[in-house]
Amino acid sequence: MVSAESWLRWIPLLPLLGAVLHVAVGYRVGRRATGVLACSVVGVSFLLALRAFSALVSAPEGAVLADDVYRWIAVAGFNIDVRLVLDSLSVVMCLVITGVGFLIHVYSTGYMAHDDDYARFFAYLNLFTSAMLVLVMADNLVLMFVGWEGVGLCSYLLIGFWYTDTAKASAGKKAFVVNRVGDAAFVLGTFLLFWALAPGASELGASDLGASSLRFADINAAAPGLSPGLVTAAALLLFVGATGKSAQIPLFVWLPDAMAGPTPVSALIHAATMVTAGVYMVARLNGLFEAAPAAMTVIAWVGAITALMAATVGVVQNDIKKVLAYSTVSQLGYMFMALGVGAFGAAVFHVMTHAFFKGLLFLGAGSVIHALHEEQDIREMGGLRAKTPVTWATFAVATLAIAGVPGLAGFFSKDAILAATFAGGHYGLWLIGLAGAALTAFYMTRLLRLVFFDSFRGDRERGEQAHESPRSMTIPLIVLAVLSVAGGYLGVPHALGGHDALGSFLAPSVSSAAHAGHALQLSMAVEWLLMLVSTTVVLGSMGFAWKLYAAGPDADVVVRGALGRAWQWMASAWRVDEAYERLLVRPIGRGAGFLWKSVDLGLIDRFADGVAMTAGVLAETWRRWNSGSVQHYALSLLAGALALVAAVLLGGGG
Amino acid sequence: MDQQLLSLLIAVPLVGAALVALAGPGAVRSMRAIALTASLAVFAVALRIAALFDSSTGEFQFTEQAAWIPQMGVTWSLGLDGISLLLVLLTVFLTPLVVLNSASSIDKRQKGYLVNVLLLESAMLGTLVATDVLVFYVFWELMLVPMFLLIGIWGGRRRVYASMKFVLFTMVGSLPMLVALVWLGLAHAGATGTPSYAMTDLYDLELTRSAQAWCFAAMALSFAIKVPMWPLHTWLPDAHVEAPTGGSVILAGVLLKMGTYGFLRLAMPICPDVLGAAMPIIGALAVVGIIYGALVAMVQPDMKKLVAYSSVSHLGFVMLGLSSLNVVGVEGAVYQMISHGISTGALFLLVGVLYERRHTRLIADFGGLWRQVPLYAFFLLVVTLSSIGLPGLNGFVGEFLILLGTFKASPVLAILASSGVVLGAVYMLWMFQRVMFGEVDKAENREISDLNRRELVILVPLLALIVLMGVYPRPFLETMEASVELTLERAGITPVETAPAEVSR
């Protein structure tokens, strides 16, 4: 079942090699060579991932490709290996990462064409791709953590890519630090599992490749046998890690700020790939999470509430990238809702379709920003349909896809999530999901209309100079637009006469009963009814937004009036950032200052200086009395000798 | 020759120091060449030792013994195990870099400086390979003198205060330790009829619990000051800020580890019965140090002070690992000692580079340097990431193992300590941002030149080790494993209880 394939390592190694080369020679070889190198390493990785995919498709169900690279850490009889595995779950992720990644690399050669730091940009982008691949190909938690922190590092570097702007640099740091909070929880969850599994690991049966600790397969297999409290704690700790990386409540605050990075970065890292790492991790550890029903409930509700909360914020944003950022937070919420109800396959399906249409939306936004010379405020846009036809058309496809219009990718994946939620009897979650879908349809229609329709409202000169982007940028848009439609047909539900090909492919990797189970429990009629309801809601919401925003941005006033006080909360993203600032950041800063000035300098040092001074005075007295030149040291020696004698006398007696 | 490698290790720097001292005045270049040759020769001796070292046993190897003060049972006993070997390697690796660095960082009395550096190296190596506690003590005290002079003569404006503080703090600790060590030798005489100060004899000594408690307290005070553990740490920031770059590198790189090494070598194996009671306290103080050091580092305006407080935090991790009393945590601690020596050494060297160009270390005096000095920025970035424990670099391995081991011993301490990992990212990245990012808004900073060839020669080996220790830690872990297990066994902990045995078999 496990076949050793030592070429797997090249999938993450090639982009790493690319990054190293950019650093080493990037400044000498020129832009063209840099761009070609950057794209081709990712392209070849994609081809290798395809090769693995085809091998897995033709192999018997449950097949796994593995590559034992080397033993990384070995202490006291436990080992952490650098071992890469591809099963149906990780190969899908690999294809998304390298496929969408390749398109975004190509797009970036156009988008960053005039940037001074071309090589540095691609070094980071390649490095990111490599780290992300390690994350999904790792066969154990610790190696996954290498990728996990690695992508966080690249995210930090890329958000602050234009570092001369301190606000951008700060956004990068914020992303890293908030993620570190999650990472700390991730590591603690790892420790908990490690010690829980350590004594009983031998019972799991040594695998053919030499068992090593913290392998996903071992954890999933052992989880049902562990104490429920422990499993729940471990699952929740790991989930806190996921809320960091995947921008869920309470750690989502970094993602909107992360939009400071170049737009291709937002597309690749902060929409298509890195932010789905948390979803992937939970799906990877489905056996563990299934064994912790309480944790699953938490995940489902955190996901649902995040989906709704972020969607409300998306309604009132005016920065094109901020709308998309909150939309991403919201869509990730859907994925977690799916995970929480045990629909791992549906979650991964949505990861994939979301990578297509959200990647496309960001790239489209980048194209618009490019066309308008860095304008990001949608109130200053409008009527770009004529000037940027390809961008418009593809953006429109993505909008329909994310909104969940029947026939496009988002419809199928979102429907799969909602159906699974309903089938599991989680009607409350289903209703929240539906409300979120309505809001999504609303803010996306608003965005589409304000950017591309009616007449241009911004600076006239800018409007006249607006132009379609070069082909290096539009071709990736077109490819992604095709995928935003076609991608959905990988998971057509049985109710619509499909076979849910992706679902069955993934099933062995996310083999929980829930995945296959719930979907089948719904009768055809109910499933049709659910689709009808959600489609009606989505289309209604889109129609409403379309009509409302015929009035242009002024319609915001209507929305604001209708929302009343809630508008303030939505506009400030429910004041979560503010709360952190007031309750954590500032008190910690003040506390640190107090510790330094008052405790370190004021208390400890004063005490020490006082002791030294007393000693000095004593020594001086001693010196005079002795009329010799006795120094501190001698005094101390004497004291020491006395103490010694005393100790010997006392100790000798005892 | 191979019979007396450890004596040779101690002697070569002394010979080097003598040769430097004999060099004619003004011949600065040849002095430096001599010092460099000597330090490289020591390095070669250490490599020879490493090549011959047998990592399958935790017992002392390369042992030498000669009578010294037979009446008192003091012998010139040397030996080394995997733990001391790694620290020896760290010492001999850093010293040549410090010698090289002196060319730009030291502008007066070069000869004295080089002599002191070599004397200090000799004393540090002596401390690490001594297996007689009084020999250990002599070297321990000998380390003080050159360090005191390095700060006091080649230091900054407040060098006198800082060097006095350094000496006084350390002395306060070392006297009770001397008392305890002498008492132990006498106790050995009481038990067997002959006095002995050999560590292996003292390990076997059956002491009452209260005697162990007193001895442990006396030694722990001395070692805790050296580490330094909170709240005995306040000498360190002053010493670092005033010390010349090379002094800081040695101080943070090696000297601090003498404290943690002392715990492992003496306090823990000699007083096993009190560890159960003492180590939780040490662990708690270590966690306070981790968080406290990180918080105070966050608000430092001076880069060197920031790094100094970060050392308080990082050494807190080392002590936490020791307090876990299991193989995983202790191996992590030893790993972190080496790793911190490399990273912090590199950090001080990098701060020194800026200081030499701008004669300031205030973070606020910089900003936007990335575009000015991209190569420097690259090095500082990697070292910063190493310091915050990014997986794939050296800092992660130690920190991970320490926290993993601690989690077994006390989940609460591990959870609290993990906040240090977050805070570490805050203060390091914030410093990096304020120095490197933004616009170059000060005219003086436009003149700053990037790393020159000598600086690269110094920094590249450090960078290589940072990556190597992160990607391939196994040789280092294998070197120490048997020694850590034996040390813990002597400390009354059998490996069976602590290691997740049989996991992989």
Side-chain angles (χ1 to χ4, degrees):
Chain A
M1 226 170 59
V2 177
S3 60
E5 307 284 353
S6 63
W7 50 272
L8 290 189
R9 68 190 64 174
W10 290 103
I11 298 177
L13 261 183
L14 281 170
L16 180 65
L17 205 66
V20 171
L21 283 175
H22 294 312
V23 172
V25 298
Y27 288 89
R28 262 166 273 161
V29 298
R31 279 159 203 263
R32 205 178 161 77
T34 299
V36 168
L37 173 71
C39 295
S40 49
V41 286
V42 179
V44 175
S45 286
F46 175 69
L47 294 178
L48 290 174
L50 264 185
R51 177 178 163 191
F53 175 71
S54 69
L56 283 171
V57 166
S58 53
E61 208 183 78
V64 174
L65 309 181
D67 182 3
D68 270 287
V69 187
Y70 73 104
R71 180 147 287 170
W72 180 30
I73 297 177
V75 171
F78 87 83
N79 308 305
I80 296 166
D81 290 342
V82 176
R83 183 171 190 264
L84 305 171
V85 289
L86 282 181
D87 61 355
S88 56
L89 174 59
S90 49
V91 86
V92 167
M93 294 298 290
C94 268
L95 286 171
V96 170
I97 293 160
T98 51
V100 176
F102 174 73
L103 293 172
I104 295 174
H105 274 74
V106 171
Y107 176 96
S108 303
T109 59
Y111 192 85
M112 301 299 286
H114 305 293
D115 199 278
D116 291 340
D117 268 337
Y118 201 69
R120 187 165 62 91
F121 179 81
F122 281 106
Y124 294 165
L125 216 56
N126 274 177
L127 183 65
F128 167 79
T129 310
S130 177
M132 189 69 207
L133 288 165
V134 169
L135 193 161
V136 298
M137 293 176 77
D139 97 317
N140 63 69
L141 266 174
V142 188
L143 185 59
M144 176 187 257
F145 190 67
V146 175
W148 189 271
E149 284 244 306
V151 293
L153 165 69
C154 298
S155 168
Y156 161 78
L157 292 170
L158 282 162
I159 294 168
F161 181 74
W162 288 312
Y163 56 80
T164 48
D165 181 343
T166 14
K168 290 183 160 73
S170 291
K173 189 186 81 219
K174 178 176 175 181
F176 194 90
V177 171
V178 173
N179 266 292
R180 265 267 156 139
V181 175
D183 294 357
F186 184 111
V187 169
L188 291 171
T190 306
F191 295 158
L192 197 57
L193 286 171
F194 178 84
W195 291 113
L197 293 175
S202 54
E203 293 157 28
L204 295 171
S207 86
D208 46 341
L209 288 150
S212 68
S213 319
L214 292 168
R215 288 171 55 177
F216 295 119
D218 296 346
I219 296 170
N220 281 332
L226 298 174
S227 92
L230 191 146
V231 174
T232 305
L236 285 175
L237 282 168
L238 289 170
F239 175 61
V240 172
T243 62
K245 198 108 294 175
S246 295
Q248 298 293 291
I249 293 172
L251 297 180
F252 68 91
V253 289
W254 63 272
L255 186 61
D257 290 28
M259 296 301 125
T263 306
V265 170
S266 314
L268 179 62
I269 301 185
H270 304 120
T273 58
M274 182 186 86
V275 288
T276 64
V279 181
Y280 172 74
M281 185 263 289
V282 175
R284 181 85 280 170
L285 283 169
N286 59 80
L288 173 79
F289 282 90
E290 285 280 16
M296 291 289 271
T297 307
V298 171
I299 293 173
W301 280 94
V302 167
I305 294 169
T306 306
L308 186 65
M309 181 274 310
T312 62
V313 181
V315 170
V316 296
Q317 297 297 315
N318 289 318
D319 180 318
I320 185 169
K321 288 181 74 179
K322 286 274 165 78
V323 177
L324 296 177
Y326 281 104
S327 167
T328 304
V329 174
S330 171
Q331 296 299 311
L332 290 163
Y334 275 101
M335 298 173 205
F336 280 101
M337 189 170 86
L339 295 170
V341 302
F344 299 103
V348 175
F349 186 22
H350 202 56
V351 165
M352 188 187 78
T353 60
H354 180 256
F356 297 151
F357 58 66
K358 187 56 68 61
L360 172 53
L361 286 170
F362 269 113
L363 294 187
S367 180
V368 168
I369 295 166
H370 196 71
L372 293 179
H373 299 281
E374 310 308 314
E375 180 59 72
Q376 296 192 193
D377 191 330
I378 53 176
R379 289 168 299 190
E380 303 293 314
M381 298 179 184
L384 290 177
R385 202 159 40 129
K387 299 264 186 184
T388 58
V390 181
T391 306
W392 170 73
T394 52
F395 201 93
V397 170
T399 302
L400 298 178
I402 190 178
V405 172
L408 287 88
F411 167 77
F412 293 107
S413 56
K414 196 177 289 184
D415 173 72
I417 293 174
L418 289 175
T421 313
F422 196 87
H426 311 284
Y427 305 119
L429 292 174
W430 177 80
L431 212 59
I432 294 177
L434 193 67
L439 286 169
T440 308
F442 182 89
Y443 67 68
M444 284 312 301
T445 309
R446 167 178 179 258
L447 185 64
L448 187 72
R449 174 136 211 182
L450 289 184
V451 173
F452 292 103
F453 289 86
D454 309 316
S455 55
F456 188 72
R457 296 176 299 273
D459 179 52
R460 248 183 69 191
E461 206 175 323
R462 260 190 183 161
E464 279 160 13
Q465 285 173 2
H467 55 86
E468 184 57 284
S469 298
R471 272 204 300 199
S472 56
M473 290 167 68
T474 50
I475 290 173
L477 294 179
I478 295 166
V479 177
L480 281 172
V482 171
L483 289 171
S484 297
V485 180
Y489 292 90
L490 290 171
V492 180
H494 300 280
L496 293 177
H499 303 288
D500 190 14
L502 184 73
S504 4
F505 180 63
L506 288 173
S509 306
V510 291
S511 57
S512 61
H515 168 70
H518 293 320
L520 292 178
Q521 279 161 20
L522 284 179
S523 72
M524 201 82 110
V526 175
E527 205 167 335
W528 272 92
L529 189 68
L530 292 180
M531 278 187 241
L532 198 68
V533 170
S534 66
T535 304
T536 313
V537 166
V538 161
L539 292 178
S541 179
M542 290 182 82
F544 176 60
W546 182 260
K547 279 196 124 163
L548 191 63
Y549 280 93
D554 298 341
D556 282 341
V557 182
V558 182
V559 176
R560 188 172 180 165
L563 289 169
R565 287 175 62 107
W567 188 90
Q568 285 294 347
W569 284 85
M570 285 156 68
S572 61
W574 300 92
R575 301 203 177 151
V576 180
D577 246 334
E578 203 183 309
Y580 278 132
E581 187 69 29
R582 270 165 68 172
L583 300 176
L584 271 174
V585 178
R586 270 182 253 157
I588 287 177
R590 273 202 297 268
F594 171 80
L595 288 181
W596 180 37
K597 297 275 186 195
S598 302
V599 180
D600 236 51
L601 301 181
L603 197 69
I604 303 175
D605 256 7
R606 262 220 204 132
F607 177 76
D609 289 350
V611 170
M613 216 135 80
T614 316
V617 171
L618 283 176
E620 184 68 10
T621 321
W622 178 259
R623 189 182 67 80
R624 279 188 202 154
W625 177 68
N626 211 21
S627 73
S629 57
V630 182
Q631 308 257 320
H632 283 100
Y633 197 53
L635 172 73
S636 317
L637 273 180
L638 186 77
L642 285 174
L644 179 69
V645 173
V648 169
L649 291 176
L650 293 173
Chain B
M1 193 90 151
D2 281 354
Q3 277 75 49
Q4 286 171 337
L5 280 172
L6 297 185
S7 288
L8 195 64
L9 200 61
I10 300 170
V12 174
L14 287 181
V15 173
L19 290 175
V20 172
L22 288 175
V28 176
R29 287 183 76 96
S30 54
M31 280 180 221
R32 206 174 298 123
I34 296 169
L36 186 63
T37 313
S39 61
L40 288 174
V42 189
F43 188 53
V45 174
L47 285 184
R48 175 80 186 144
I49 293 171
L52 296 171
F53 182 80
D54 172 11
S55 61
S56 66
T57 168
E59 300 287 349
F60 291 122
Q61 302 178 33
F62 306 93
T63 48
E64 292 175 31
Q65 207 169 17
W68 190 20
I69 315 176
Q71 300 85 340
M72 283 177 66
V74 184
T75 52
W76 172 259
S77 312
L78 307 179
L80 131 164
D81 68 354
I83 300 168
S84 35
L85 173 62
L86 288 173
L87 287 164
V88 163
L89 288 171
L90 175 68
T91 309
V92 300
F93 174 77
L94 288 177
T95 307
L97 304 182
V98 168
V99 171
L100 268 177
N101 170 265
S102 70
S104 56
S105 66
I106 300 301
D107 48 12
K108 62 173 184 189
R109 303 169 81 169
Q110 298 267 358
K111 180 191 277 189
Y113 181 82
L114 293 170
V115 168
N116 268 299
V117 167
L118 289 170
L119 290 178
L120 185 53
E121 181 180 32
S122 179
M124 293 187 296
L125 293 171
T127 311
L128 290 170
V129 300
T131 53
D132 179 291
V133 293
L134 287 190
V135 176
F136 172 88
Y137 183 80
V138 168
F139 280 119
W140 175 273
E141 292 289 289
L142 276 180
M143 291 190 300
L144 266 182
V145 183
M147 196 66 224
F148 169 74
L149 294 175
L150 285 179
I151 301 172
I153 297 176
W154 291 273
R157 240 167 287 144
R158 293 174 70 229
R159 58 180 180 267
V160 176
Y161 172 75
S163 56
M164 286 305 290
K165 198 172 178 182
F166 166 71
V167 166
L168 286 178
F169 264 78
T170 318
M171 293 291 295
V172 166
S174 43
L175 286 165
M177 173 166 79
L178 176 63
V179 175
L181 296 179
V182 169
W183 184 87
L184 281 167
L186 297 178
H188 188 269
T192 64
T194 50
S196 169
Y197 293 92
M199 288 178 186
T200 40
D201 287 340
L202 299 184
Y203 294 157
D204 295 335
L205 210 53
E206 303 272 338
L207 296 172
T208 63
R209 215 183 126 83
S210 71
Q212 288 187 32
W214 281 107
C215 285
F216 186 87
M219 289 190 266
L221 177 67
S222 172
F223 298 143
I225 290 172
K226 201 73 150 190
V227 169
M229 291 189 72
W230 187 88
L232 305 169
H233 63 279
T234 59
W235 63 268
L236 184 72
D238 286 314
H240 268 313
V241 169
E242 301 308 324
T245 300
S248 285
V249 171
I250 296 179
L251 182 59
V254 185
L255 275 195
L256 305 186
K257 278 70 179 192
M258 295 303 179
T260 50
Y261 174 73
F263 274 100
L264 267 173
R265 181 59 79 229
L266 296 178
M268 289 166 63
I270 291 177
C271 316
D273 296 341
V274 296
L275 296 183
M279 281 327 225
I281 301 170
I282 298 228
L285 287 175
V287 167
V288 173
I290 289 170
I291 298 172
Y292 185 102
L295 285 173
V296 178
M298 218 157 70
V299 290
Q300 294 308 311
D302 180 304
M303 290 170 85
K304 252 191 158 181
K305 251 192 177 160
L306 186 149
V307 180
Y309 277 106
S310 85
S311 289
V312 173
S313 187
H314 284 141
L315 270 293
F317 273 105
V318 177
M319 288 311 299
L320 183 64
L322 296 185
S323 79
S324 75
L325 291 177
N326 58 51
V327 180
V328 178
V330 173
E331 282 200 37
V334 176
Y335 205 87
Q336 174 85 336
M337 288 187 213
I338 310 300
S339 171
H340 175 263
I342 307 281
S343 307
T344 306
L347 270 178
F348 278 123
L349 285 165
L350 284 164
V351 174
V353 166
L354 283 188
Y355 184 77
E356 283 166 29
R357 285 156 172 70
R358 282 278 281 106
H359 299 286
T360 172
R361 284 183 300 252
L362 291 181
I363 295 171
D365 285 342
F366 298 103
L369 292 195
W370 189 306
R371 186 143 294 171
Q372 295 291 312
V373 287
L375 201 55
Y376 178 91
F378 172 75
F379 277 87
L380 185 62
L381 178 65
V382 176
V383 176
T384 296
L385 296 172
S386 140
S387 171
I388 66 180
L390 190 85
L393 301 179
N394 59 345
F396 171 74
V397 179
E399 225 167 66
F400 181 81
L401 293 175
I402 287 168
L403 288 172
L404 180 58
T406 304
F407 197 87
K408 172 80 172 171
S410 162
V412 175
L413 287 185
I415 290 167
L416 291 173
S418 67
S419 70
V421 176
V422 178
L423 294 172
V426 175
Y427 65 76
M428 286 308 292
L429 292 183
W430 196 31
M431 188 259 279
F432 189 83
Q433 175 178 333
R434 285 177 292 165
V435 173
M436 285 294 152
F437 294 156
E439 299 280 1
V440 191
D441 51 2
K442 292 174 193 63
E444 304 93 305
N445 290 336
R446 287 183 207 287
E447 312 297 315
I448 295 185
S449 56
D450 211 337
L451 296 174
N452 59 36
R453 199 179 300 170
R454 182 166 25 76
E455 286 158 346
L456 280 174
V457 168
I458 295 171
L459 289 168
V460 166
L462 288 163
L463 196 79
L465 264 184
I466 283 173
V467 175
L468 178 74
M469 286 186 71
V471 174
Y472 194 53
R474 270 173 56 216
F476 301 89
L477 292 168
E478 275 161 15
T479 303
M480 71 172 85
E481 182 145 302
S483 305
V484 168
E485 277 171 0
L486 183 63
T487 302
L488 282 174
E489 209 177 298
R490 285 172 176 149
I493 292 110
T494 48
V496 186
E497 284 173 5
T498 58
E502 267 56 74
V503 167
S504 67
R505 314 271 150 82

